[in-house]
Each structure stands twice: as structure tokens, then as C-alpha cells.
Amino acid sequence: MTTAEKNYQEIGIPKLMIELGIKNRMAVPKLIKIVINCSLGEAIADKKVMEKMSVQLAAITGLHPVVTKAKKAISAFKLREGDVIGLKVTLRAKRMYDFLTRLTGVALPRVRDFRGVPNRGFDGNGNYTLGIAEQTIFPDLDYALVDKIRGFEATFVTSAQTDDQAKALLTLLGLPFEK
């Protein structure tokens, strides 16, 4: 059990029970998974882009990414159904908490003029999506692997019923929201 997970179990759950007015320990919201998604429209023209970003995401997350394909054709984007257009990694359990610790403790403080993550990333069902503009904020990534600055998005999937519950949970887990 990681320290972030241990802190959540020992300190976070009782605090959330009081803060959210929940009586049952099992009803307290928890972080289920973190999904990292990177869209690469330029991969249609250059297939090596996918390989390079795959290596970078593997270095950041510790898992090999899954290739995502276009579900339907869009002629304006010169996109055919089945074309490879992105990468996705799903983090659960220990790797999820490790990534969250590195994101909140190391990567986000490295962002210039950082004032907190935006409050507008909630979807109405207790999930939060954070856009990360540069993959270079992670110190795990070797700069020799980076050919171009690319961003990705991290979606925090929670068991919370409302956005307020999700925000309380993510704040407790260390995600610094804007004031």
C-alpha cells in the first residue's frame, strides 16, 4: 500500500465522512482509475509519431499505452474509420496512486506561473479531466526522447455522485484547485 493510499484510508475517509455528512464508510467517494489520453492527429501523416509518443507515455506512466482508432470517417480531417489517432493508458491501484503523487508533488509545481488546476474540468457525474499542455513537466521523461512538445489529458474517475463530492475527494488527495 502506497503512502497516498494509506493516508486516504486512515485520514481521508474519516475526514470525508464528516465533511460530506456520510455515515457509512463504504459510501465515501474513492478514486477508481486515472485514464491518460493523448490524441495524435499528426499520426495519420507520420507513423513514427505514434511510436515516439508511446515511448514517452510509457516512461511517464510505467505502462505501455493502448492505440486508439477513429470510430468514423471525417473527410474534412482526411480521417478514415480505423485510422490510428491516439494513445490511452488506464492506471489503477498502486500505479494510479504513484502517478497522482508524482503529478501533485513533482510535475505540477514545475509548471511556470502555476496557480492551481482549473475548477471547470468536472463532467457533472463526479469525474474530473485535467489537460496537461506539456509532457516535459514529468522528470521521469528523458529529454532525449522528446521530439516535439505534446500535451495529453488525465481523467480522474471517481465513485462520487456529484462534482462537489469529487472535488472534496481530489482536494484531499492533493490536487491543488484554483482559489
Side-chain angles (χ1 to χ4, degrees), residues 6-128:
K6 195 174 187 180
N7 286 342
Y8 170 72
Q9 293 290 333
E10 295 174 0
I11 301 166
I13 290 177
K15 189 173 181 183
L16 282 173
M17 286 175 72
I18 294 167
E19 188 177 323
L20 300 174
I22 298 172
K23 292 184 173 68
N24 187 351
R25 185 177 177 86
M26 300 304 285
V28 174
K30 63 183 174 210
L31 188 61
I32 298 171
K33 63 184 174 180
I34 299 175
V35 180
I36 313 274
N37 179 33
C38 181
S39 298
L40 298 167
E42 64 215 63
I44 297 168
D46 185 9
K47 301 296 180 195
K48 292 187 180 191
V49 169
M50 194 65 67
E51 295 169 18
K52 291 175 185 174
M53 195 60 194
S54 178
V55 170
Q56 293 173 33
L57 273 180
I60 291 169
T61 62
L63 289 175
H64 188 72
V66 175
V67 173
T68 57
K69 296 181 179 183
K71 292 182 181 177
K72 59 183 178 178
I74 302 172
S75 62
F77 297 129
K78 298 179 182 172
L79 183 67
R80 292 188 211 136
E81 185 177 343
D83 280 351
V84 175
I85 57 167
L87 297 167
K88 173 177 83 169
V89 179
T90 302
L91 303 170
R92 297 176 198 272
K94 184 181 182 314
R95 289 184 196 260
M96 171 183 68
Y97 284 107
D98 288 344
F99 176 79
L100 182 64
T101 303
R102 280 190 322 233
L103 177 71
T104 58
V106 180
L108 290 178
R110 292 180 69 177
V111 175
R112 184 176 302 209
D113 295 333
F114 181 69
R115 291 189 176 86
V117 295
N119 291 310
R120 62 187 180 277
F122 290 98
D123 67 352
N125 296 319
N127 303 315
Y128 179 73

Side-chain angles (χ1 to χ4, degrees), residues 122-128 156-163 166-167 170:
F122 290 98
D123 67 352
N125 296 319
N127 303 315
Y128 179 73
F156 299 86
V157 180
T158 68
S159 65
Q161 301 298 316
T162 64
D163 290 345
K167 185 173 181 181
L170 293 173

